[in-house]
Amino acid sequence: MASNDIHEIAEKKLASIQQRYSSRRRRLVETLERADHPLIATDIVAIDDDLPQSSVYRNLAVLESAGVVVKVLTNGDRAAFELAEELKGHHHHLVCVQCGLVLDIDVPNEVEELLDSGLAGVVAAAGFSLVGHRLDLMGRCRDCQ
Amino acid sequence: MASNDIHEIAEKKLASIQQRYSSRRRRLVETLERADHPLIATDIVAIDDDLPQSSVYRNLAVLESAGVVVKVLTNGDRAAFELAEELKGHHHHLVCVQCGLVLDIDVPNEVEELLDSGLAGVVAAAGFSLVGHRLDLMGRCRDCQ
DNA sequence: ATGAGTGCAAAGGCTTTGCATTAGG
DNA sequence: CCTAATGCAAAGCCTTTGCACTCAT
């Protein structure tokens, strides 16, 4: 995904909930774009000195409700964020159960297809409407074996 | 899974790391057993008045390192806990993206099998050893549609 | 008796919020 | 100009920890 497109989509998504694509928000998106794995709020503050805590937290919340970023799971208890699928592409996570490292990975198409088709029934039975799925593979990374 | 078995397994797992199956720990396991969905620490404190905060947090940590309970994902940012697969059986979660409700669900065997077989390659390529998988289906619950 | 486990209360750390200031339309 | 957005600092809230007490072996 070209960087231009990302910002264009972000701006559009924000506009749809009457929010501007301000300098801090753009900077936040750029920081997330550069990372190849989800970031927690304190990481972002540490990475970019020009982003005050309050801007990070407040704008992550705004970007999340606009659908520009999404929360993801780590083995820790702090919320981590990454760009939404529409900006970053659909992918899954490989989580190290020991150190908490999270990597982005792609899985075979047949798996993706089966996930969506094979599960519709279960979801409907529970009275839910399916929005998507989140698959995390748990393992031990090279350094933790 | 019979309740007796659960406590027996819990005791054994604790013993394997030189920990006792004390009254608070047993009580914690019983509370998690009764719930049909993962609980966060504050839920447990609210549900069971006889469990002080410090006991809940301290013992959840002990039970987690013993492999009696595991952390799971919700759409919030607080850690939720449930009994480990060995005590509760393998299952997945159906998460409401709006209100955060989490339900336990089973998925078809063919899906389970494909998840484990179809993904080994991707995991190995990343230098990870696969421990398991965690699949969350995201949707909107009956009340939030 | 002796160390593990517990309970209370205080400390700690991440996150949120109030308010005055700045920036964008 | 006028409202949204920002920055700082203070407040909040969940979680962790110190310490004295209790329980089990």
Side-chain angles (χ1 to χ4, degrees):
Chain A
M1 175 97 43
S3 200
N4 287 342
D5 297 337
I6 288 182
H7 295 301
E8 199 173 309
I9 296 172
E11 182 163 19
K12 200 167 299 178
K13 280 178 168 287
L14 282 165
S16 73
I17 61 165
Q18 284 76 50
Q19 295 282 332
R20 300 174 189 164
Y21 195 33
S22 68
S23 72
R24 305 290 96 173
R25 290 172 189 169
R26 186 183 184 98
R27 201 173 179 104
L28 219 31
V29 168
E30 287 168 348
T31 300
L32 289 171
E33 186 190 358
R34 273 194 296 275
D36 63 342
H37 61 90
L39 298 177
I40 66 178
T42 48
D43 283 342
I44 301 176
V45 173
I47 290 173
D48 190 338
D49 289 337
D50 288 348
L51 282 173
Q53 283 196 350
S54 55
S55 280
V56 171
Y57 286 105
R58 245 190 302 236
N59 286 324
L60 279 177
V62 172
L63 292 173
E64 188 189 13
S65 52
V68 176
V69 306
V70 295
K71 268 186 204 156
V72 304
L73 167 73
T74 73
N75 82 337
D77 16 34
R78 268 171 262 313
F81 292 86
E82 65 180 6
L83 295 181
E85 292 196 352
E86 196 172 335
L87 288 80
K88 188 181 192 183
H90 180 71
H91 65 279
H92 294 286
H93 294 129
L94 185 51
V95 183
C96 177
V97 295
Q98 191 152 329
C99 72
L101 174 69
V102 179
L103 292 186
D104 295 340
I105 57 168
D106 291 314
V107 307
N109 273 332
E110 49 167 359
V111 175
E112 293 287 1
E113 283 160 19
L114 186 58
L115 281 178
D116 287 326
S117 67
L119 297 171
V122 192
V123 174
F128 274 56
S129 59
L130 189 59
V131 171
H133 63 256
R134 186 151 49 178
L135 172 66
D136 300 297
L137 301 177
M138 317 301 294
R140 222 172 286 275
C141 73
R142 217 183 300 268
D143 295 338
C144 287
Q145 313 231 3
Chain B
M1 175 97 46
S3 200
N4 286 343
D5 296 337
I6 289 180
H7 295 300
E8 199 173 308
I9 296 172
E11 183 164 17
K12 198 167 300 179
K13 280 178 168 290
L14 282 164
S16 74
I17 61 165
Q18 284 77 49
Q19 294 283 333
R20 300 174 189 163
Y21 195 32
S22 68
S23 72
R24 305 291 96 175
R25 289 172 189 169
R26 185 183 184 99
R27 200 173 179 104
L28 218 31
V29 168
E30 286 167 348
T31 300
L32 290 171
E33 185 190 358
R34 271 195 297 275
D36 63 342
H37 60 91
L39 298 177
I40 64 179
T42 47
D43 284 341
I44 300 176
V45 173
I47 290 173
D48 190 338
D49 289 337
D50 287 348
L51 281 173
Q53 283 196 353
S54 55
S55 280
V56 172
Y57 286 107
R58 246 190 302 237
N59 286 324
L60 280 177
V62 172
L63 291 172
E64 189 189 12
S65 53
V68 175
V69 306
V70 295
K71 266 186 207 159
V72 302
L73 167 72
T74 71
N75 82 336
D77 15 33
R78 268 171 260 313
F81 292 86
E82 67 180 5
L83 296 181
E85 290 196 353
E86 197 173 334
L87 288 80
K88 188 182 193 183
H90 180 69
H91 66 278
H92 294 285
H93 293 131
L94 184 51
V95 183
C96 177
V97 295
Q98 191 152 331
C99 71
L101 175 69
V102 180
L103 292 186
D104 295 341
I105 57 168
D106 291 313
V107 308
N109 273 332
E110 51 168 357
V111 176
E112 293 288 0
E113 284 160 20
L114 186 59
L115 281 178
D116 287 326
S117 66
L119 298 171
V122 191
V123 174
F128 274 58
S129 60
L130 188 60
V131 170
H133 64 253
R134 187 152 46 180
L135 172 66
D136 299 297
L137 301 178
M138 317 301 293
R140 221 171 287 274
C141 74
R142 216 182 300 269
D143 295 338
C144 288
Q145 311 230 5

